[in-house]
Amino acid sequence: MKQFLLVFLGGGLGSILRYWISKNLNSYYSNFYLGTFLVNIIGCLLIGILIGLSLKHNYITQNQTLLLATGFCGGFTTFSTFALESNILLKESSILYTSLYLGLSVALGILAISFGLWVCKML
């Protein structure tokens, strides 16, 4: 139960920070979501550092990893988890599976959003 609370707390904090950054930076350019872009890149950097510290040096505990990597980075941006999993696939699998995962995730994600919008429009 403690682990769920750590993920919950970290996710809430990450989500609040993502909202604040996007709200304040996305309006700078009309054709580029600067806040979302920065959140995604920062989230990738952060999850890379956290997982690196956890795996290589054991500087952070499993509970800290749940709070910061799974919770905070997961709430801050799911893109960081997507990038981490893609990196793992690239290292542990083939370029074919990595490409399929990347391509299908992006393409089907966009199609799913379009379909959801279409269904709501038809109601």
Side-chain angles (χ1 to χ4, degrees):
M1 185 60 151
K2 177 183 175 183
Q3 295 160 331
F4 288 104
L5 292 174
L6 290 170
V7 173
F8 175 76
L9 179 61
L13 294 172
S15 295
I16 290 169
L17 186 56
R18 176 188 65 222
Y19 173 75
W20 184 82
I21 290 171
S22 294
K23 183 175 173 33
N24 287 295
L25 295 181
N26 277 353
S27 60
Y28 273 84
Y29 302 102
S30 61
N31 57 354
F32 191 81
Y33 296 103
L34 179 63
T36 304
F37 176 78
L38 290 175
V39 160
N40 286 335
I41 301 308
I42 291 167
C44 288
L45 174 63
L46 245 162
I47 203 169
I49 291 169
L50 291 167
I51 297 301
L53 289 173
S54 174
L55 293 175
K56 186 172 183 181
H57 301 291
N58 287 329
Y59 284 143
I60 59 176
T61 66
Q62 181 182 6
N63 284 340
Q64 290 169 324
T65 301
L66 286 172
L67 175 71
L68 299 171
T70 306
F72 181 81
C73 288
F76 191 56
T77 171
T78 57
F79 187 78
S80 60
T81 302
F82 173 68
L84 175 65
E85 291 170 346
S86 299
N87 183 270
I88 291 168
L89 272 177
L90 190 58
K91 288 181 178 179
E92 295 179 356
S93 192
S94 69
I95 192 78
L96 173 65
Y97 289 118
T98 305
S99 299
L100 281 171
Y101 181 69
L102 288 168
L104 288 172
S105 293
V106 172
L108 292 177
I110 292 169
L111 285 173
I113 289 171
S114 297
F115 181 71
L117 291 170
W118 177 80
V119 166
C120 289
K121 185 177 177 181
M122 292 297 122
L123 295 176

